[in-house]
Amino acid sequence: MKIAVVGATGLVGSVMLEELAQRGFADQEIIPAASPKSVGRQIDFAGRKITVVSPEEAIAQKPAYALFSAGASTSRKYAPLFAQVGCTVVDNSSCWRMHDNVPLVVPEINMDSVGPDQRIIANPNCSTIQMVLALSRLHWQYKIKRLVIATYQSITGTGIKAVRQLEAEEDYFAHHDVLSSTLGDTMRQQLGDQYQPAYPYQIFRNLFPHGGDFNPDGYTTEEQKLVDETRKILGDPTIQVTATVARVPVVGGHSEAVNIEFHKEYDLDEVRRLIAQTPGVILADDPDHNLYPMPIMAHNRPEVFVGRVRRDNTQPHTLNLWCVGDNLRKGAATNAVQILQSLIAR
Ligand code: A2P
């Protein structure tokens, strides 16, 4: 079986390769594709070297499946061309997610939304995947009315450029005391061309309430994704969702504080049971022993971790919880490869 990975040299793409190797595809023919600057480069896959090709060359090899993580414009241009040669595309970009004819899939929730002839399947946004998975069984049982979300998102969600920015700032501040926390013009001059920030501000010793671009209504595109994608995946356009996304200088994964109002009253023990029984979710909730999910717990793990499960005492039928997932794993690559596994299992 031939499987193309478009964006194979990127952060998510390289984790897709790892996940393919770990999830039973080590012996398959993998076709890595990337931008012209990477064509011809040798990369590792399951202990062997494979050569990066252009998307055109990958299409010419007629792969059965293609995993995309190369940005929305690459997906817009190439996903239909792969589909035309009979390839099924699982696309991690935002390009196709809200199209009526494209299912938006978390396999543990809505694999049944994928028809037998579906050629493009969208992988949801990272912060949406981990949250809807954590909440899915609660929604089925008590029906969610409204969500109020605050996210603390890892820099790895922005790609390699953001990782390089954090590394450059860490190096610089290694020689400065903790209280000199502001990256000034002197530092920019000292670092010169090697400092090409992905963000408008320093991220080391800082955070900002800004993910994606600002829409005219004051919300960001990352916040709007949580609204639209949650409704689509859970199949309920009546769910009210409001979110604030923050970017934090963290590597292991995204964290989210979620306030959930249900239509029906819930039982807290049953809530914990439902979360613990959700495939791919681990309940890590023992305040007496300081047990709660953190990015260092989720890093490189395929599961979503949930803790701090407690009643919101200010209004009826309302719950608070905290969930953490590695945005490069379940939030992106793992989910995409699981979709592929589910397609093949059919
Ligand atoms: P390249 O490494 O050649 O630039 P990240 O999100 O970590 O920055 O990764 C983006 C991925 O998308 C990289 O693999 C990048 O390849 C790939 N990419 C960017 N533009 C294109 C394009 N026009 N065609 C194919 N792949 C692309």
Side-chain angles (χ1 to χ4, degrees), residues 7-11 34-35 37-38 55 69-70 74 159-160:
T9 53
L11 271 192
S35 80
K37 81 167 199 268
S38 304
S69 191
T74 303
I160 281 171

Side-chain angles (χ1 to χ4, degrees), residues 6-13 33-39 41 52-55 69-71 73-74 77-78 156-161:
V6 181
T9 53
L11 271 192
V12 173
S35 80
K37 81 167 199 268
S38 304
V39 169
R41 210 177 115 189
V52 176
V53 299
S54 66
S69 191
S73 58
T74 303
K77 179 171 171 191
Y78 289 108
T156 56
T158 315
I160 281 171
K161 211 176 161 193

Side-chain angles (χ1 to χ4, degrees), residues 11 80 86-87 101 131 183 185 206 214 237 251 278 284-285 306 320-321:
L11 271 192
C87 174
N101 301 326
M131 184 192 70
L183 179 148
D185 289 343
N206 193 24
F214 282 100
V251 170
T278 306
D285 193 18
V306 178
N320 280 306
L321 60 76

Side-chain angles (χ1 to χ4, degrees), residues 26-44:
D27 297 331
Q28 306 300 330
E29 187 176 338
I30 304 298
I31 308 166
S35 80
K37 81 167 199 268
S38 304
V39 169
R41 210 177 115 189
Q42 301 259 297
I43 56 176
D44 292 322

